[in-house]
Amino acid sequence: LEEIMKVSLVFGPYIAGHYLLWNGQPLVAVLLMGFGLYYAGWVSHDYLHHAVIRGGKNRDETTAAVVPLNNAMGYVIGFMQGYEVDWWRARHNTHHVVTNEFGNDPDIKTAPLLTYVRNSPAIAKGLNWFQRWQQYYYLPVMAILDLYWRLESIAYIAMRLPRYWKQALVMAAHMAWTAYAFQGQWKYFLIMTLYRGFMTGTIVFSTHYGEDILDGDHKLTLVEQTALTSRNIAGGYVANLLTGFLSLQTEHHLFPMMPTANLAKARPHVQAFFKKHKLEYRESNIIECIRYNIRALSYQHLLE
């Protein structure tokens, strides 16, 4: 039931938004479409983790028969977003394997725009005049992430031509559809992408970026690494639903192929395991998560 609700939160606003866009309500339209695309990111994430459609005797396994079905849904939603699925997989799967490892995790390579100081005087002294404003422009920068990811997807395809000619045709089809839908109303496309990017970026950055950064040669187990590098977003069922259940980031990194609707069921077991083994279970509301990021970007106190 929750998976049906999540899919409806993608296609419902997206379709309704197009109708309103073509019928004189462009601002309401792009707010709806932006939310649908924001939620599409979480839903396609689940399908491309092969965590939704299950097979096997008890319908609880990821079998060879269901992988293409999960992939198909992931590709459809990826097309809607203007993202190349292979680009996303290369980036995201690497992130799971080397979470918050310096030089290895592509998700935390945010310099020079955002340079996480994390109480390092050496890094603080190396910031240029522009970077010394980063704790203030951090939140506004989230708005450009959708545009950035779209461009990164295009670059990923371009670097692999002619082998990726099919992906190039799909991307061209997406761009043609976008041009048709927004003809004469491009300022609303910009509003939509900034709105969607801000929502997605704020959630994504809240769960890892303010946490520990590890050396690539650490000897930690998966559980120990997850405890140091992941933070859940508190807020109960509402927070879980609005983030596609990826507010439960610790559980997701421990069980990446678990259907996200089941992550809440795993949560008390993970908490008990962490407590037993004296590991910190990190969880904060969204405001506190943002503050963790701002503190990790701050530098003034290190130069006094």
Side-chain angles (χ1 to χ4, degrees):
L1 181 60
E2 282 171 334
E3 291 300 336
I4 294 172
M5 182 188 304
K6 287 162 66 178
V7 170
S8 70
L9 287 173
V10 174
F11 289 98
Y14 185 75
I15 293 170
H18 276 82
Y19 174 81
L20 293 172
L21 183 65
W22 298 332
N23 286 276
Q25 297 292 330
L27 184 57
V28 178
V30 296
L31 293 178
L32 283 172
M33 292 167 68
F35 179 83
L37 292 174
Y38 155 79
Y39 214 78
W42 311 135
V43 175
S44 60
H45 167 279
D46 296 353
Y47 279 97
L48 293 172
H49 265 291
H50 304 149
V52 181
I53 302 172
R54 315 292 277 180
K57 183 178 179 180
N58 298 317
R59 311 297 296 177
D60 61 356
E61 302 174 42
T62 300
T63 62
V66 301
V67 166
L69 299 176
N70 281 287
N71 284 343
M73 190 64 164
Y75 274 100
V76 168
I77 301 177
F79 171 82
M80 288 170 54
Q81 299 176 86
Y83 297 159
E84 163 53 33
V85 167
D86 288 353
W87 158 79
W88 180 87
R89 277 191 171 133
R91 182 186 182 104
H92 189 72
N93 291 351
T94 303
H95 160 69
H96 266 272
V97 174
V98 294
T99 308
N100 280 29
E101 291 182 11
F102 181 77
N104 294 333
D105 185 350
D107 275 9
I108 63 170
K109 293 179 180 180
T110 58
L113 190 57
L114 295 173
T115 302
Y116 279 82
V117 177
R118 291 187 177 85
N119 291 316
S120 168
I123 296 176
K125 291 176 182 177
L127 297 179
N128 62 39
W129 70 270
F130 185 77
Q131 292 169 322
R132 293 190 176 195
W133 292 89
Q134 63 182 4
Q135 66 268 38
Y136 303 109
Y137 65 66
Y138 151 67
L139 266 182
V141 159
M142 298 296 102
I144 68 171
L145 285 177
D146 181 46
L147 289 171
Y148 173 76
W149 288 327
R150 287 172 182 265
L151 292 173
E152 203 173 76
S153 290
I154 293 170
Y156 186 90
I157 294 171
M159 292 171 64
R160 288 160 178 79
L161 290 173
R163 182 164 55 94
Y164 266 49
W165 67 269
K166 293 180 181 178
Q167 289 88 336
L169 288 177
V170 170
M171 182 63 73
H174 166 81
M175 295 172 71
W177 171 255
T178 302
Y180 169 76
F182 283 92
Q183 54 185 316
Q185 303 187 84
W186 284 103
K187 66 180 179 181
Y188 291 105
F189 173 77
L190 181 61
I191 292 171
M192 182 188 75
T193 58
L194 294 176
Y195 164 59
R196 182 266 168 98
F198 180 81
M199 290 194 296
T200 304
T202 301
I203 299 301
V204 168
F205 271 66
S206 291
T207 54
H208 292 294
Y209 290 75
E211 308 310 311
D212 292 43
I213 299 299
L214 309 176
D215 292 329
D217 60 351
H218 68 80
K219 305 301 180 185
L220 300 173
T221 66
L222 171 64
V223 176
E224 291 169 329
Q225 182 170 1
T226 301
L228 291 173
T229 61
S230 298
R231 182 175 297 275
N232 287 1
I233 301 173
Y237 182 77
V238 173
N240 293 344
L241 181 63
L242 290 178
T243 60
F245 291 85
L246 290 174
S247 50
L248 298 164
Q249 195 68 198
T250 297
E251 288 73 18
H252 171 61
H253 268 252
L254 292 174
F255 310 106
M257 296 181 73
M258 177 182 286
T260 52
N262 290 338
L263 293 175
K265 299 175 184 176
R267 181 171 176 269
H269 301 287
V270 172
Q271 287 178 310
F273 185 87
F274 275 36
K275 183 176 181 180
K276 178 180 178 181
H277 294 277
K278 296 180 172 56
L279 297 170
E280 182 183 3
Y281 185 87
R282 299 180 177 181
E283 184 174 64
S284 306
N285 63 49
I286 187 65
I287 301 300
E288 291 170 338
C289 289
I290 291 170
R291 286 174 176 165
Y292 273 111
N293 274 275
I294 291 173
R295 281 197 290 269
L297 291 165
S298 299
Y299 73 93
Q300 295 99 323
H301 62 290
L302 300 170
L303 301 180
E304 294 174 354

